[in-house]
Amino acid sequence: MSDSIPDTIGTAPDAAVPAELYVQVQQFYARQMGLIDDGRPDEWAETFTEDGVFQEASRLSEPLRGRDAIRASSRARKKRLDEEKVDFRHWLGMLDVTREDDGSLRTRAYALAMRTPRGGALDIFASVICHDHLVNVNGSWQVRHRDLHHDGSGRD
């Protein structure tokens, strides 16, 4: 038995990505979620491609299409949270990353969305499965398509 650390992540040869790439994706998500949680909607929107698509888990509306629509929605969300005096946080885990033939990435992760009224108790607002299609744009990962599904929706 070797003490060396494997240089790939995944269980099947076609699912394995180099460990360095896996860590890059983890860092991307830590930065991206930090931007939205820190109330920086414009910077968060920049983590999506110009033609990015964001399907929210609620499914009550059409997907947000394009960075401008994603930016407008995130600005409105920040304004609403500020008015309600609520802190919102995201936790992402159980990340699975696979590489497409064109070099883009498909990811699947569990995400918890938590809100805390200032001075109040933590509330786990939602548990979702996040499916992303990431592309490399000028050396940085960006989301081309995000699709969220609430736990219990029958989709994973």
Side-chain angles (χ1 to χ4, degrees), residues 28-29 32 45-55 63-67 70 100 102-107 131-137 140-147:
F28 166 78
Y29 283 120
Q32 186 192 45
E46 292 296 317
T47 66
F48 288 81
T49 61
E50 283 289 338
D51 62 348
V53 176
F54 183 19
Q55 176 64 63
L64 299 170
R65 296 188 184 280
R67 187 184 289 155
I70 293 168
E100 297 288 306
D102 64 1
S104 66
L105 304 174
R106 299 289 177 162
T107 67
H131 292 270
D132 276 355
H133 182 199
L134 303 179
V135 294
N136 193 304
V137 178
S140 297
W141 292 108
Q142 291 185 344
V143 178
R144 176 173 284 157
H145 192 275
R146 173 164 292 164
D147 195 4

Side-chain angles (χ1 to χ4, degrees), residues 68-137:
D68 289 341
I70 293 168
R71 180 181 293 113
S73 176
S74 63
R75 283 178 178 170
R77 179 182 171 276
K78 179 189 180 324
K79 182 179 179 194
R80 188 174 59 253
L81 291 171
D82 286 347
E83 289 170 354
E84 294 172 0
K85 294 184 169 72
V86 171
D87 291 330
F88 210 86
R89 300 288 180 255
H90 293 84
W91 176 88
L92 204 75
M94 302 301 292
L95 177 64
D96 182 49
V97 180
T98 56
R99 189 190 316 252
E100 297 288 306
D101 290 339
D102 64 1
S104 66
L105 304 174
R106 299 289 177 162
T107 67
R108 178 183 184 274
Y110 298 148
L112 292 178
M114 298 157 283
R115 58 185 174 192
T116 307
R118 294 183 190 138
L122 170 73
D123 173 39
I124 296 178
F125 175 70
S127 176
V128 300
I129 299 172
C130 177
H131 292 270
D132 276 355
H133 182 199
L134 303 179
V135 294
N136 193 304
V137 178

Side-chain angles (χ1 to χ4, degrees), residues 32-50:
Q32 186 192 45
M33 296 303 160
L35 289 170
I36 195 69
D37 290 348
D38 289 344
R40 296 158 61 187
D42 292 342
E43 291 173 77
W44 180 77
E46 292 296 317
T47 66
F48 288 81
T49 61
E50 283 289 338

